Amino acid sequence: FSESSHMGDGTTLPEQYARRIREDAEKALKTSNRIDEIGPVVFHWDPATVLAVEDLYSEKCQRPLIPGDELVKVGGVDVGPLGREEILALMIKYPDLFLFWSPSLADKAIRDAARKAIAEHRAPPASGAEKLGPLTIWWRKPATILEAAEEVQGMFENGVRPGDFVEEINGTSVLDAGRDQILHLLRCQRTVRLSTDGALGGVRAAAFQAQFQK
């Protein structure tokens, strides 16, 4: 929006959105909803996912915001591991600094499988290998890829091969991590870095901001 885009009360449209987001987040903190309308966006929580969005707000993002997009950061803080109340508190503090991304179907499958394993308190398989969506991981240290479906190959710079080990998830080294820690990171993963003999490949999210021209 340009500075000349003023509302009837003299505020700019970005200021209007920021005020609405802050007020709605404050109200939402007093509830325990699974779905909240926060300003121009309707969110479903865990992870914070866009269910609906006002057209004008969507059009003024760096790329149009659409249902299914996920909230990555608020005010520069990674919201992946945070709960609903913590994210709402950040929205109150930083109502105009949102970063979103569009996860692929393979991303969603990996994260859904990790969440299911956690929710079911599933014990590690006796074989030591576990299928998580399109990946089969051998739970040794470091965690090692045994199989990878075709749909994940294009997500990595150098593809995925059996024997690749998981080096980082969301910037956190997991070379010495156990299954439980890796599952909790995968449940909100956006970046996975694999390594084999020095060859690196990483899932890279196409993140974009709800950022307005002033």
Side-chain angles (χ1 to χ4, degrees):
F1 297 109
S2 68
E3 282 292 353
S4 60
S5 300
H6 287 275
M7 303 298 285
D9 60 1
T11 60
T12 64
L13 284 172
E15 289 170 342
Q16 283 278 340
Y17 282 131
R19 185 172 67 187
R20 287 175 56 196
I21 289 169
R22 184 180 292 110
E23 290 175 350
D24 287 347
E26 289 173 344
K27 293 176 183 176
L29 271 178
K30 300 174 183 178
T31 71
S32 56
N33 299 328
R34 293 176 58 87
I35 297 174
D36 286 297
E37 183 174 352
I38 307 297
V41 184
V42 178
F43 286 101
H44 180 277
W45 302 103
D46 192 27
T49 304
V50 176
L51 291 185
V53 58
E54 292 178 7
D55 289 343
L56 188 56
Y57 184 84
S58 173
E59 292 167 1
K60 295 304 179 180
C61 293
Q62 288 182 335
R63 83 135 174 83
L65 187 62
I66 59 174
D69 287 345
E70 294 181 5
L71 189 63
V72 176
K73 294 182 179 182
V74 177
V77 179
D78 188 342
V79 302
L82 302 184
R84 171 181 175 274
E85 289 73 19
E86 294 168 299
I87 297 174
L88 288 170
L90 286 172
M91 288 178 167
I92 294 169
K93 190 174 182 179
Y94 306 106
D96 56 351
L97 293 174
F98 292 1
L99 186 70
F100 296 88
W101 80 302
S102 298
S104 69
L105 292 177
D107 287 316
K108 292 180 178 179
I110 293 169
R111 288 184 296 170
D112 288 347
R115 290 192 186 99
K116 185 175 181 180
I118 294 169
E120 295 178 350
H121 304 287
R122 189 187 304 162
S127 66
E130 186 168 14
K131 182 174 174 59
L132 296 174
L135 296 177
T136 300
I137 299 178
W138 179 19
W139 295 118
R140 63 169 189 170
K141 291 185 180 180
T144 303
I145 304 298
L146 289 186
E147 294 181 358
E150 184 64 30
E151 61 262 32
V152 301
Q153 294 295 331
M155 297 164 57
F156 288 86
E157 296 163 6
N158 300 306
V160 188
R161 295 171 294 177
D164 287 356
F165 56 84
V166 184
E167 180 175 309
E168 290 182 0
I169 301 174
N170 291 350
T172 298
S173 174
V174 295
L175 294 176
D176 295 318
R179 173 178 177 269
D180 288 349
Q181 181 182 354
I182 291 176
L183 284 176
H184 277 84
L185 287 169
L186 285 176
R187 67 181 290 277
C188 56
Q189 67 83 16
R190 288 184 304 278
T191 303
V192 175
R193 182 174 292 275
L194 304 177
S195 181
T196 300
D197 298 328
L200 300 177
V203 177
R204 289 291 175 262
F208 60 95
Q209 298 181 36
Q211 180 179 8
F212 304 97
Q213 296 179 355
K214 296 184 178 181

